[in-house]
Amino acid sequence: MAPPRARHDLLVAFHATENTRRVPWFGVSMSLASSMTARLMETWAHGQDIADALAIERQPTTRIRHICHLGVQTRAFSYALRGMEAPTEPVEIVLTAPDGSEWHWGQGGGPNSVSGSAWDFSLVVTQRRNIADTGLIVTGRVAGEWMSIAQAFAGAPGAGRAMAER
């Protein structure tokens, strides 16, 4: 079965373009590779909105790593959107993948870290869940501040999600 024509054409165009080429998006430019990851993130996040509206529980796969990576890479962007300067202190991120393996970003040993499931991290950085409604463990002031404003998508600063009613 052949892929839909628009998808096919998009893939052909991406393959023919240098990964580092900058492409415009909502006032900021990003590399082609980042742009592709951002489109994936947007599709995933809005798919989660639909699943939530229909009370359907999605099954996580290791493909969520793309969303996690974008969430980590957009740390400074989350601050810039709010007119804030991003702290220079590193934050270690250790996430448990759906297959049970661990994904790491940053160096360990510092006072700031985020750990837990990759799925929960993805839900927080796309503002689909309030961090209080996840099993993420956030240690340190800098990590806590970041996760309270984390936003892996372009546009105006999102208000985040309210905590679920308990």
Side-chain angles (χ1 to χ4, degrees):
M1 181 174 174
R5 186 86 212 153
R7 177 176 173 259
H8 171 75
D9 292 348
L10 180 64
L11 291 173
V12 167
F14 279 151
H15 283 278
T17 305
E18 185 68 34
N19 280 345
T20 57
R21 180 175 175 197
R22 306 295 291 181
V23 294
W25 189 257
F26 284 103
V28 298
S29 70
M30 56 179 63
S31 71
L32 180 64
S34 292
S35 178
M36 292 171 60
T37 302
R39 302 302 71 75
L40 175 66
M41 176 273 303
E42 290 168 351
T43 302
W44 178 86
H46 292 300
Q48 185 62 45
D49 294 339
I50 294 166
D52 288 344
L54 297 174
I56 296 170
E57 189 171 330
R58 296 164 81 187
Q59 293 303 308
T61 70
T62 56
R63 291 177 292 181
I64 199 73
R65 184 178 176 91
H66 299 287
I67 312 308
C68 295
H69 182 73
L70 188 64
V72 171
Q73 294 301 310
T74 56
R75 178 180 165 211
F77 177 73
S78 298
Y79 284 88
L81 282 173
R82 290 160 177 79
M84 301 166 65
E85 188 159 330
T88 58
E89 293 95 326
V91 176
E92 177 188 22
I93 298 97
V94 179
L95 303 175
T96 303
D99 66 2
S101 63
E102 280 191 346
W103 297 334
H104 296 259
W105 288 267
Q107 296 179 357
N112 294 287
S113 64
V114 178
S115 62
S117 86
W119 188 258
D120 283 351
F121 183 80
S122 296
L123 290 168
V124 171
V125 299
T126 59
Q127 297 188 356
R128 270 42 198 183
R129 294 290 183 280
N130 184 294
I131 194 160
D133 297 322
T134 71
L136 290 176
I137 298 168
V138 179
T139 305
R141 181 192 61 78
V142 171
E145 179 183 69
W146 169 42
M147 292 309 293
S148 75
I149 64 168
Q151 179 172 328
F153 53 89
R161 296 287 170 150
M163 284 178 44
E165 303 238 347
R166 302 204 192 277

